[in-house]
Each structure stands twice: as C-alpha cells, then as structure tokens.
Amino acid sequence: MDTDKNREYCLTLLQQYTKSDSLLKHAYAVETCVRAYAEKLNEDVEYWGNVALLHDFDYEKYPTAEDHPFKGAEILRAQGFNEEFISSILSHADYSGVPRDTILKKVLFACDELAGFITAVTYVRPSKSIDEVEVNSVKKKMKDKAFARAVNRDDILNGAEGINIPLDEHISFCINAMRKSKELIGL
C-alpha cells in the first residue's frame, strides 16, 4: 500500500493519535489550505494533503519541543512512509533543523499558523462562520497581540514570504479554501 497517498489510512492514523476536536479541526484546516495550493501549483494533491493532515498528529501525545514532531517521524517511519513525506512534516517546526527546501515544505509552513489564526478569527465572529471572515479582519486581529497569543505572527508573515505570495493574497487564498471545506473544519 502506498501509505503516503492513501487519505483513509492517514485519517485513521490521525484519529488514532489525536482525540481533541480542536486539533482534528486544525489538521483538516491545514490540509484544506495545502491541498488547495497543491491544486493551484499542479502538484500531487493527495500527497500534499496527507502531509498536512498528519503534520501535528503526534502533538496531543507528545506536545513538547523535544518530542514533537520527532516522535511522529518515528511512528511514520515504522508505518512505511517515505523519507520525503517525513522530512516535510519535520520541516514545519523551526527547531527541527530540517530546511524548507521544497515548495511543499514552504507551503505547509505558510498554511499551518495561518489556518489556526483564521479559525480563531472565525470563532469571534457573531455567526462563528468563516463566510463572515475577510482579509482585513484577519490582519486587524494580527495586530492585537492579546488575541490568539499562541499564534506566531512572524510565522504567518514569513510563511507568505517563503512562498513569494503577498500576505493579503495568501490570507484570501486560505480563507477561500477553508470556506469550501467549512463543514469538515467546523466553521
């Protein structure tokens, strides 16, 4: 079985290690954004989507910087995932030492924090619907350091820069992707 291209297998693995509804939704949100970029860039949508789906699958069990995403990499190796897949996941953590030397690695990093931030912005909208979220509301909340303080604003800025897409365009692209999967993501 080609594990890295089998979404059902990856979904089973994600759900085996992640029980938190918010972490599952985060995985789906990042997957949605990364898949949309894969489609836009004529890349392998299934492969890219599965990398994004599993990027934090070990976080709930191994939340420390010493363990995440390294424990996940060990689990994926044991499950037969290829080294490029594993390297892509490792690269989303600055402290892993794995360079972002492919477009997939850059896109995963660019979408990770932003998808989480867009989700947080959605939750403070009166309807709690992503349909109400606009680029300006996301940028305004980025300036509010007390809002979603765990989200690294520099990662959002550096992520857009890393894929050579203006911040507004990147935010808009991710909002639109997430709107198309709002039921899955819960927004």
Side-chain angles (χ1 to χ4, degrees):
M1 176 176 54
D2 201 2
T3 51
D4 49 37
K5 290 193 182 178
N6 184 322
R7 186 177 188 277
E8 286 309 309
Y9 184 78
C10 292
L11 199 52
T12 300
L13 195 58
L14 171 68
Q15 292 167 348
Q16 179 184 343
Y17 284 86
T18 305
K19 304 302 179 197
S20 157
D21 193 46
S22 63
L23 273 176
L24 288 169
K25 287 178 179 176
H26 174 68
Y28 304 143
V30 177
E31 175 197 22
T32 294
C33 295
V34 170
R35 285 175 73 94
Y37 270 114
E39 194 173 311
K40 176 183 179 178
L41 300 170
N42 294 317
E43 295 290 346
D44 187 330
V45 175
E46 291 305 312
Y47 184 84
W48 280 38
N50 288 337
V51 166
L53 189 65
L54 291 178
H55 82 283
D56 277 344
F57 87 100
D58 65 335
Y59 186 78
E60 193 172 293
K61 286 192 177 195
Y62 307 105
T64 66
E66 292 79 41
D67 290 337
H68 168 73
F70 308 107
K71 292 284 189 191
E74 292 171 17
I75 294 163
L76 293 174
R77 256 184 219 104
Q79 296 291 327
F81 284 82
N82 73 50
E83 282 304 315
E84 187 55 37
F85 189 100
I86 295 165
S87 175
S88 296
I89 288 175
L90 287 169
S91 76
H92 90 276
D94 278 335
Y95 54 84
S96 73
V98 176
R100 293 187 196 101
D101 54 5
T102 67
I103 189 64
L104 168 55
K105 291 174 181 176
K106 292 174 184 178
V107 166
L108 176 62
F109 179 74
C111 294
D112 186 15
E113 292 290 291
L114 181 58
F117 197 78
I118 290 169
T119 299
V121 172
T122 302
Y123 287 150
V124 298
R125 305 304 301 166
S127 67
K128 296 189 179 2
S129 169
I130 191 152
D131 293 329
E132 278 190 17
V133 176
E134 300 297 333
V135 172
N136 287 342
S137 54
V138 172
K139 289 180 70 179
K140 184 177 178 185
K141 286 292 189 186
M142 282 178 68
K143 293 176 185 164
D144 179 355
K145 299 301 178 201
F147 178 79
R149 87 171 34 114
V151 176
N152 187 326
R153 273 67 165 169
D154 288 340
D155 284 357
I156 293 173
L157 298 171
N158 293 335
E161 190 176 297
I163 57 174
N164 295 316
I165 295 179
L167 181 62
D168 287 17
E169 190 179 317
H170 179 48
I171 293 170
S172 177
F173 185 84
C174 288
I175 289 170
N176 288 328
M178 290 169 70
R179 280 180 181 155
K180 291 175 186 161
S181 294
K182 64 185 173 186
E183 286 79 21
L184 175 66
I185 304 168
L187 302 176

